Amino acid sequence: MSSKKYVYSFEEGNAGMKFILGGKGSNLAEMTRLGFPVPAGYTISTEACNFYSKTGKPPEGLNGEIGKHQKELESKLSKKLGDSHDPLLVSVRSGAPFSMPGMMDTILNLGLNDDSVKGLIEQTKNERFVYDAYRRFIMMYSDIVLKVKRGKFDRELREMKRKRGVKQDTELTAGNLKELVEIYKDIVKKETGEEFPREPELQLKKAVMAVFESWDNPRAKTYRKEYKISDDLGTAVNIQTMVFGNKGNDSATGVAFTRDPSTGEKKIFGEYLTNAQGEDVVAGVRTPKTLSDLRKELPDAYDELIASMGNLEKHYRDMQDVEFTIEQGKLYMLQTRTGKRTAAAALRIAVDMVGEGLITEEMALKRIDPLQLDQLLHPRINPNAKLDVLASGLPASPGAATGEVVFDADTAEEEEKAGKKVILVRWETTPDDIHGVIAAQGVITVHGGMTSHAAVVARGMGKPCVCGCEEIKLDMENQLFKVNGTTVKAGDIISIDGSSARVILGEAPLIAPSINPEFQKILGWADKYRRLGVRTNADTPEDAGKAREFGAEGIGLCRTEHMFFGEERLSLVQNMILAESDEEREGVTEKLLPFQRGDFEGIFKAMTGLPVTIRLLDPPLHEFLPNFTDLKVELAEMKLKGVNKDEIMAKERLLHKVRAEVEMNPMLGLRGCRLGIVYPQIYKMQVRAIMEAACNVKKEGFDPKVEIMIPLVSHVNELMVMREKTEETIKEVLAAKEMNILYKVGTMIELPRAAITANEIAEYADFFSFGTNDLTQTTFGFSRDDAEAKFLAKYLEDKILPVNPFEALDQSGVGYLVDTACKLARKTKPGIKLGICGEHGGEPSSIEFCHKEGLTYVSCSPYRVPLARLAAAQAAIGAGEDTTK
Amino acid sequence: MSSKKYVYSFEEGNAGMKFILGGKGSNLAEMTRLGFPVPAGYTISTEACNFYSKTGKPPEGLNGEIGKHQKELESKLSKKLGDSHDPLLVSVRSGAPFSMPGMMDTILNLGLNDDSVKGLIEQTKNERFVYDAYRRFIMMYSDIVLKVKRGKFDRELREMKRKRGVKQDTELTAGNLKELVEIYKDIVKKETGEEFPREPELQLKKAVMAVFESWDNPRAKTYRKEYKISDDLGTAVNIQTMVFGNKGNDSATGVAFTRDPSTGEKKIFGEYLTNAQGEDVVAGVRTPKTLSDLRKELPDAYDELIASMGNLEKHYRDMQDVEFTIEQGKLYMLQTRTGKRTAAAALRIAVDMVGEGLITEEMALKRIDPLQLDQLLHPRINPNAKLDVLASGLPASPGAATGEVVFDADTAEEEEKAGKKVILVRWETTPDDIHGVIAAQGVITVHGGMTSHAAVVARGMGKPCVCGCEEIKLDMENQLFKVNGTTVKAGDIISIDGSSARVILGEAPLIAPSINPEFQKILGWADKYRRLGVRTNADTPEDAGKAREFGAEGIGLCRTEHMFFGEERLSLVQNMILAESDEEREGVTEKLLPFQRGDFEGIFKAMTGLPVTIRLLDPPLHEFLPNFTDLKVELAEMKLKGVNKDEIMAKERLLHKVRAEVEMNPMLGLRGCRLGIVYPQIYKMQVRAIMEAACNVKKEGFDPKVEIMIPLVSHVNELMVMREKTEETIKEVLAAKEMNILYKVGTMIELPRAAITANEIAEYADFFSFGTNDLTQTTFGFSRDDAEAKFLAKYLEDKILPVNPFEALDQSGVGYLVDTACKLARKTKPGIKLGICGEHGGEPSSIEFCHKEGLTYVSCSPYRVPLARLAAAQAAIGAGEDTTK
């Protein structure tokens, strides 16, 4: 064990080592290697953290290695931790392979104690700065390592400001701060029973372990779950020489992006605070200044920063997010990483960089997260609407949302679970609020800027966010806020527009999104590279039209059941189900025919020239009937109320019939082609409606491409019989209309037995469409209606299942059956058309699987069509790691 | 087409041709070949029938072939159909590959018309006989070919007897019969508008087609469905020279078995009627005499019959059922076939024949239908009980049954569908009653003997039957019968004992069956040849003991849920489910523990030394709760009635909790190991109860072999987690008891995903048990609770599915998954123990499949254990056709 290397100096690493050194560590090493002004330091590897997570103790030899690197660092800088004349101070920062902003712990100014304080004053001649650093260190170390609540220190800081009659921290004098240091040390003594630790080596060792532990804190876990980051990666720990942005007005600290993370525009975008440490910017405690001010305040440092950022972007070939500190005029780069961005920015940056020759089209395609596109496809506020704008702030994350006001993260989570849409309103957000941001539709903060925690997290999630909305007067105690004379209480409806940074009273009217030119360009490239077709699931002409606009190449699943729910229709459907004889049933279906025909005409017109796969009626019939329990209750009540006998008898008859349709497990009951076999009138009517509609629109000059799909086949004979009946009806219609329409008849593969016997079923099918929703239900034995609430949430929480199989296709189980079915089907019909129309058709990892299986197309909801086009291209380009990321 | 041969003379065939010539035809050919006295004739093949069934017309060339063979027959006998001096008469009989007694049509005396009647009188000098034959022919031909109702003729016959003041048909004179012939011809004229056909060739041709058509009559279809005979086989048609058992008192006709078909005893067993045609015996119209009387009446013919039967049995090496006719002292053999027999007889005959050196043990084993064994394993009437015996008759089919009296087949069927047990009481049964016999628990007939239709069919089905119960006075109109002063109405409960031929008023007390020595011997042989182990599914010490007595080698499935339904327990279980906290839940499970432990102690004792596989709680929890709909109704009623508020609130709370447990598809919901994961307290309690019970009985000197089974695993992680928790609890118990008990932990493979990922799951399983009930549900997507009534019956009727997959394992779908799982599991653990515990474990074709898959054991209900032992032996011996059958 002792032969394993756990610690790397910045000179030893490079950008390719992010799984060992973390993102921050590997980039610090890379910048060091390239000669950027990086304060010296070393990194403890993620492997040490993983060892600690599993065993609760550091690996053997780690402390020795740290000691060795610490010595090297000290000799390089000719300074020593804790030295009473010229002390070295270091920061101890987490840094995982994937960025988890603010989720884990960081300790600054480590190495301070009552001795080194003197040394630092001797060196800096700046007592105020030194005591400011000392009080910050005591608070951070106590909070993170000693687990003393931060609030206890904050309270004393506020109290000190109050007593001295000042508003800003910067107005406190050296004497005030020195006094505060003593008060802080007393708090530690009182809370832990021990003195604040003096020995810098001990401080360092404990700080490293505390950072390891922060890998498993609840907010980090929540974040990883949301972003599907593996718990096994661990975090690295970076020990770096401190530089100080709080050494006076020639010092500053800030963060900056090489391009605008909201819009993608090619211009430096950043914020900083003079005389401050980095945490002040990120936490949004003071509202920061923009970089243009820095140009005026510290022009040399500014120029060097701009040059460095340009070089970094060229080197990494991607937009960079940097942290910098200026110590008495000298610039230090403390971090660089690929910057998070909105979907719109991602598209624009990718397109621009291809234009600039920085990256290729393939790289551009691979770089965009398909799931993020969703943001662009969501509605925005109608620009022509008259709005009751309450306040404005900073446009921290674009998009629009409406919801009930909530004032804390826990409530946001509860309400969301109860099915409500909420807008989270906070002074500022901290990493502890992460679950609230996940639960909310959008976020408003009173404080904080464009790079504050709330802004970064909301942009990552594609949720609208308005920051720095200072007009809002929060009254947490009474659960309300006041703004310009209006009072808004918890539960009131508001809307926010993250793009224009407006907070609006009530529900704002939304309009459908459209696709901008960069988006079009990316999708055009995607179409060039992808091999999978992309269709849509649509049941109405409107949805079909929208999907076509988004690039759908046909309808992969047109459900016919939704068409049965119109008011006039539903009672006909009920009569059809409850018919007492075949003749009666036939009579009622006859009346439904014109409705269905009209539906299909609209869809065929919207999709003219493109294939339309229509699934015959699928769900259990009782979905269309009154609820059995309700009927029983009504009947019992009627009897007690002494309603007249005829009414009771009528209700009893209805109850009797409805009871006959009730099933124990409707998902496994009389539905799909079983309906078609038991009640042939229904499918016959549907097939007639489809073919008559096709004939009618063809006469009008449209080009209908009919594909009829028989659902829920488990045995080849079901399809054989239904195909025969279907074709009989088709022939009747075509003969009556004296027309010819090409058509296909296929089936869904959505039951394990169908997959297993796909070679037999393929004999009678012109195409297969994998219904992976149902296939997932039967393969796992999970009822989707029940699983989520009853046990699936627990399964995901306990990691019994790695992902929700209803979201991402379970490749080793459900995927095995899909694979088996594809192979068997091709044995019978080598060129058989194979598609997928479960919701997995719009999920990137599932789309990649479909590409590998060589399916003909995926079909997904209209708003997922662009995503699917991109994901299909990414699958075709190949899953190779983009090492520049 | 014309080159295909459709007609074979008896000299051309042999016993191996039963699929072409039918059973009857091939055996007539065989007997002819061996020199037995068989009236000459020829057979039209089943292929001609199949052609006719499909196309509605005879194959080209058939009539020519028939004509040719008819000519040959006539020249061989020097007689001619329809000849006015020496006419040939023939019978036209159906004869399918598998015996379907009485289900299809037969026409005797064909060739008679007004001319040939004269010739026959000239030849026989027996006018009475000739007109008797003529009137029979007209009636049969009119009924079968011309579709004139038989009742119309019967009525005239009765009328004639009434007018002439006689009781028996035989008392009518030649003149009476001649008059009857004219009346019959008038009926035909009146009903069909045409004269009764005169031309014998036309008669023959039409009769053959009518027999073809009878293959598809409803009663034949019902019979084939019951006995799983394929509809594709078709029937052959046998044209055979008539011989007459009704030529006077030196003529007779009868049927006989070479051994007793009820007991298997080695003694000739038969019945006959003097001066009668065969149909009179079979239809049970007159109660026949036993063969011992024939010895006295016609000793020469008797001796020849006995000798022939002995030779036939030796030749076929199986018990034979023969039809014979004695015409004026000369014996003719009209049919031989393997005799149907009760299960008891089958065992005795098989054992005796092995003893006699006629057959080998393997042949004996293969010859017994495992399904038939069921008969022997059903309860019989307690011999010590005091019974209210109403009447006695003939012991036509052994066994005992209780049910409500019904008087016709349709009602029997209806009542059975409504879930009632019925006893069918009839004058006599005809093939039209077949559906009633299927539906009834047992059958009583007033008329008819041991070889009557009711007796044969009931024996075949293993249902008790009492025939010839002449004391019973039926009053069909008033739906009652009177017997010895007691009146029994439709719906009254009676019992019958087919072994002792008693009819008993009320419900007779039954006792459990035991296994007789022949049965033991056969099962001993079975154990010698089989390779599959046989276990049982048992949840109580009583069932376990019974199964052990029947030879079970362990428990393959001990369900723990049934143990939760005791009155005292159920309320604890409800409290457990509705507990509001984990502590509360733990407290209640603690109270359930002693009950469960007691259950397991009893089972371990009963099974000492043999493995006991205990499945942890499997069904959805709401099965233990009050019904949600009922609660809603109760609450609505309470509110209307103005019950006090506290009671309503309590009810509302209960309703609220029960609603939380209601699932859309409980079969796919929170059950199986999902329960164990979500509510760990329940499984923990069960594991404790199991291990404490094992320790306790071990202390008492028993030898418990514990196997704990985790149900409904879909992903390896479920088993991994549950195994870990299970072993934790086991270790706690063993440590506390300071004992060591060997145990195994395994899982059920009952979901497609488990089968597909069996290699992963096998890592954590000491054994697999295939739960093919659930696996069938998810593989097909069929809910067993719903499928049967809603669509499965229709599927079977329409032949969409060849068999009910819940009865016989679907080898191409479910079997494919079992096969996949076996292969994958063995890759991980070559010697892994694999069993099956679905109901398929007691079904012969499924057992054969399990044998081929190399499973370790099958597990079935206690009463199926002997069947499984035999079926396993048959599978091991091999599925080769037993050509002697």
Side-chain angles (χ1 to χ4, degrees), chain A residues 311-418:
Chain A
N311 290 334
L312 282 170
E313 188 181 91
K314 272 199 197 94
H315 177 69
Y316 284 106
R317 296 199 280 185
D318 202 349
M319 186 263 267
Q320 293 298 297
D321 165 3
V322 305
E323 287 180 22
F324 64 90
T325 285
I326 299 166
E327 185 182 282
Q328 294 173 316
K330 168 150 181 47
L331 174 78
Y332 290 97
M333 302 298 287
L334 297 184
Q335 167 152 311
T336 189
R337 59 184 175 190
T338 300
K340 285 195 190 292
R341 63 203 79 178
T342 63
L347 292 173
R348 174 146 180 200
I349 291 169
V351 169
D352 285 354
M353 284 189 174
V354 171
E356 292 161 25
L358 265 183
I359 58 172
T360 63
E361 285 171 11
E362 288 101 316
M363 282 169 77
L365 287 167
K366 280 170 68 181
R367 194 168 275 178
I368 295 161
D369 177 2
L371 287 172
Q372 221 190 0
L373 295 185
D374 219 25
Q375 290 177 31
L376 299 176
L377 297 168
H378 278 306
R380 55 204 174 91
I381 291 176
N382 187 337
N384 303 319
K386 225 181 113 52
L387 303 172
D388 186 354
V389 177
L390 290 174
S392 285
L394 300 170
S397 180
T402 294
E404 296 183 12
V405 170
V406 294
F407 291 105
D408 64 274
D410 290 345
T411 308
E413 194 177 55
E414 275 164 32
E415 299 279 291
E416 192 265 343
K417 275 191 186 153

Side-chain angles (χ1 to χ4, degrees), chain B residues 519-594:
Chain B
F519 202 164
Q520 287 293 15
K521 192 150 218 165
I522 289 281
L523 290 178
W525 291 339
D527 292 347
K528 198 158 93 187
Y529 290 95
R530 74 184 159 93
R531 203 216 52 229
L532 262 179
V534 176
R535 294 197 188 180
T536 192
N537 301 348
D539 315 335
T540 63
E542 295 69 36
D543 281 358
K546 193 80 220 160
R548 190 163 195 167
E549 195 181 297
F550 287 160
E553 297 157 321
I555 290 183
L557 175 61
C558 173
R559 298 177 183 89
T560 52
E561 48 268 25
H562 295 164
M563 303 172 182
F564 279 7
F565 278 108
E567 202 174 341
E568 201 176 349
R569 303 167 178 207
L570 187 57
S571 73
L572 283 176
V573 173
Q574 292 182 346
N575 291 342
M576 173 175 81
I577 297 168
L578 301 176
E580 308 224 341
S581 68
D582 282 355
E583 296 74 49
E584 192 185 332
R585 183 163 291 117
E586 197 134 8
V588 186
T589 52
E590 202 62 34
K591 288 186 197 149
L592 273 169
L593 179 73

